[in-house]
Amino acid sequence: GMSPSELAPGSAILGSLGNFAYLIFVDTVLDDCFYSFTVPNDWDGVTDIEVVLYWASNVNVGNVEWYIAWRSVTTGGLVTGTDGTDSFIQAVPGTVFTLTSTGYGNLNIAAGTLTHGDHIGLRIYRDARATNPNDTAAGSAGLAHLHIRYRRW
């Protein structure tokens, strides 16, 4: 499952609202969390694997820029390094605490970096520091859920 990075400063923190648990990515810092999964054996081998983030915000103006970075390794391979990155800028919903998603096809793990059965280490992060002009939401973004979608044979 998803988990905040426990040892790094600026890691997403766990929170809740209603019946949803969130990993909270605050403004003004770089926050991250991690997720891992195995490339399915029935993946078609040529189509990017899509990552869809479901999130809500405590503000109703501005943009959040989501990033992913991944490492794909076989058993016995080195887990260090990164095989690729992707990012997506999205406006926060007009009503606070409205669940929204990044949608399909906006955050992708490149097919060319994957092999059936590989173990994927996925980093999800938000860089809300003042040095990033793309992330303008002056509030938190809470990640509630993620969906991994792939095309089968």
Side-chain angles (χ1 to χ4, degrees):
M2 288 187 302
S3 62
S5 53
E6 297 175 13
L7 301 177
S11 45
I13 57 174
L14 190 59
S16 66
L17 182 65
N19 291 323
F20 286 88
Y22 287 93
L23 289 174
I24 300 171
F25 296 73
V26 299
D27 59 337
T28 72
V29 298
L30 188 152
D31 278 338
D32 59 5
C33 69
F34 297 88
Y35 181 78
S36 58
F37 66 98
T38 301
V39 176
N41 287 327
D42 63 349
W43 168 59
D44 72 2
V46 295
T47 307
D48 293 348
I49 292 180
E50 299 170 302
V51 177
V52 181
L53 306 179
Y54 291 85
W55 62 283
S57 181
N58 63 351
V59 296
N60 62 357
V61 212
N63 296 322
V64 169
E65 186 168 24
W66 292 105
Y67 297 85
I68 61 171
W70 65 91
R71 177 71 171 155
S72 177
V73 298
T74 58
T75 301
L78 296 176
V79 297
T80 56
T82 298
D83 289 321
T85 62
D86 201 2
S87 66
F88 179 63
I89 302 167
Q90 186 172 21
V92 298
T95 304
V96 298
F97 302 122
T98 299
L99 188 65
T100 190
S101 82
T102 54
Y104 294 106
N106 294 312
L107 290 169
N108 299 298
I109 299 174
T113 64
L114 306 174
T115 302
H116 292 98
D118 277 0
H119 305 283
I120 305 297
L122 179 65
R123 178 183 179 214
I124 301 164
Y125 57 107
R126 175 189 181 196
D127 183 358
R129 296 176 291 188
T131 54
N132 180 7
N134 297 323
D135 192 305
T136 58
S140 298
L143 180 60
H145 174 69
L146 71 90
H147 178 96
I148 305 293
R149 185 169 90 159
Y150 66 96
R151 187 167 300 201
R152 296 174 62 186
W153 288 100

